Amino acid sequence: MVSSSHEALHRIFQQEPGLFARVARNLGVAFPPLVSASELSTDLTETRPLERRVDTLLRMDTEDGSFVLAVESQSKPSPHKPASWAYYLSHVYAKYGVPPVLLVVCPDRKTAAWAARQFDIGPRQWPSLTLRPLVLGPDDVPVIDSPDEAARDIPLTILSAALRRCEPEADAILNALAKALKGLSADDENTAGTFIELMEQGLGTTRAADLWRHLMAVDLSFFQSQTAQQLRAEGRAEGEAKALLRLLAHRSVEVGEEDRERIVGCGDPDVLDLWFTRALTATSAAEIFASAGEAGTAD
């Protein structure tokens, strides 16, 4: 199954195609300024029952001509990948007649070093095909830990954090990114939401992801991702539980420790709202949790 962090490492180029030329300079390759970019179908399946899909495929039109950019997110070395990559590039060239470039994005140095090798396909005496991917690893993107610098290039900052999600620098990059995003105008809210979602995906299940959740929870009205929705629900449930307990105390309805834990531990705002409505007239905690059917689903 493809992980969300895998998705983020190539989706960022869909969101911001111009990022490719900027990061390619760190690899010692100068591509001309981008004029336009368009997404191509990532399905490279032939008529035979053999399905092949590249992660991201973009047609890049520049001042100096066009090329097709294939972006692959690679989390670990794989002996079978070079053959697949060679197939992708050959198929793309045959299909579109436009020169292809392969960019492999790796979140760890070992995989980046492996992917950066030149892969010769054919007998050693005369390789028929040589594969030379451009590779982005943690050392190929700068550490962006200044809010001003992050604001100047938010996609690059996201990539920097995603590639360093397991390293000490991740905290500083995420703090800078959070400040940069919150400095965007209201007109940029949709774009900011997309970037926030990408960053959330790019961090996977690392400790840095917990920090990002905390940073975004500071201003939930700005955070539009699935995490935010979960945090909003948790916040609403906590507020409903406190309001219910205050109401019961005000009405002098006795609440035992077990009932209190049940109320506080309920994470469903709708159930808590139902209990609150009952608490307006209930004379005991038992009446709040009435109906066996409702009580059985309340937790």
Side-chain angles (χ1 to χ4, degrees):
M1 180 179 293
V2 176
S3 66
S4 60
S5 57
H6 171 103
E7 290 287 311
L9 287 177
H10 67 84
R11 277 188 57 212
I12 186 64
F13 293 94
Q14 298 175 16
Q15 178 65 30
E16 181 65 26
L19 177 62
F20 171 69
R22 300 199 292 276
V23 298
R25 287 195 292 269
N26 298 328
L27 304 174
V29 184
F31 283 87
L34 185 67
V35 175
S36 65
S38 56
E39 288 192 44
L40 303 175
S41 172
T42 61
D43 189 350
L44 304 183
T45 307
E46 295 184 352
T47 54
R48 295 175 298 165
L50 177 63
E51 183 174 303
R52 297 180 187 269
R53 290 182 183 272
V54 65
D55 286 341
T56 284
L57 199 62
L58 300 167
R59 179 188 173 106
M60 311 286 276
D61 299 315
T62 76
E63 297 174 349
D64 192 36
S66 303
F67 63 94
V68 172
L69 176 65
V71 185
E72 282 280 288
S73 176
Q74 191 69 22
S75 59
K76 61 183 179 180
S78 169
H80 306 294
K81 267 297 181 178
S84 295
W85 291 338
Y87 174 89
Y88 296 163
L89 298 183
S90 298
H91 184 91
V92 163
Y93 189 49
K95 182 175 182 178
Y96 297 105
V98 179
V101 175
L102 172 64
L103 177 68
V104 182
V105 188
C106 307
D108 71 88
R109 291 176 178 81
K110 179 182 177 182
T111 304
W114 165 80
R117 294 183 302 162
Q118 175 175 300
F119 296 97
D120 292 325
I121 299 175
R124 64 178 178 80
Q125 296 89 346
W126 191 268
S128 299
L129 184 65
T130 297
L131 181 70
R132 298 174 59 214
L134 280 173
V135 178
L136 274 178
D139 296 328
D140 299 310
V141 175
V143 175
I144 302 176
D145 53 10
S146 159
D148 290 340
E149 189 179 359
R152 284 193 292 271
D153 200 334
I154 287 176
L156 182 60
T157 306
I158 292 172
L159 187 61
S160 178
L163 290 174
R164 289 185 171 83
R165 57 182 179 252
C166 295
E167 300 186 7
E169 299 91 346
D171 290 8
I173 300 172
L174 292 175
N175 274 287
L177 176 61
K179 290 182 175 66
L181 287 171
K182 290 174 184 176
L184 293 176
S185 67
D187 294 338
D188 294 320
E189 186 173 344
N190 289 336
T191 300
T194 299
F195 286 146
I196 291 168
E197 189 79 38
L198 271 172
M199 188 70 271
E200 181 184 347
Q201 290 183 340
L203 296 173
T205 58
T206 60
R207 186 195 60 80
D210 295 331
L211 172 62
W212 186 243
R213 284 168 57 91
H214 172 73
L215 290 171
M216 293 298 98
V218 172
D219 185 1
L220 294 180
S221 64
F222 183 76
F223 189 33
Q224 301 297 323
S225 75
Q226 185 175 358
T227 295
Q229 296 171 15
Q230 180 182 345
L231 289 171
R232 287 194 190 95
E234 291 173 356
R236 181 186 162 201
E238 182 180 357
E240 293 268 9
K242 288 180 179 178
L244 175 55
L245 291 172
R246 283 198 300 270
L247 174 62
L248 292 172
H250 177 74
R251 298 193 63 246
S252 300
V253 175
E254 184 176 346
V255 179
E257 190 58 32
E258 183 176 342
D259 292 331
R260 180 179 296 273
E261 290 178 1
R262 183 175 185 180
I263 292 171
V264 172
C266 180
D268 189 333
D270 294 330
V271 172
L272 287 164
D273 185 64
L274 173 63
W275 290 349
F276 186 94
T277 301
R278 290 176 177 172
L280 294 172
T281 57
T283 57
S284 68
E287 292 180 35
I288 297 172
F289 307 124
S291 169
E294 290 166 352
T297 60
D299 295 332

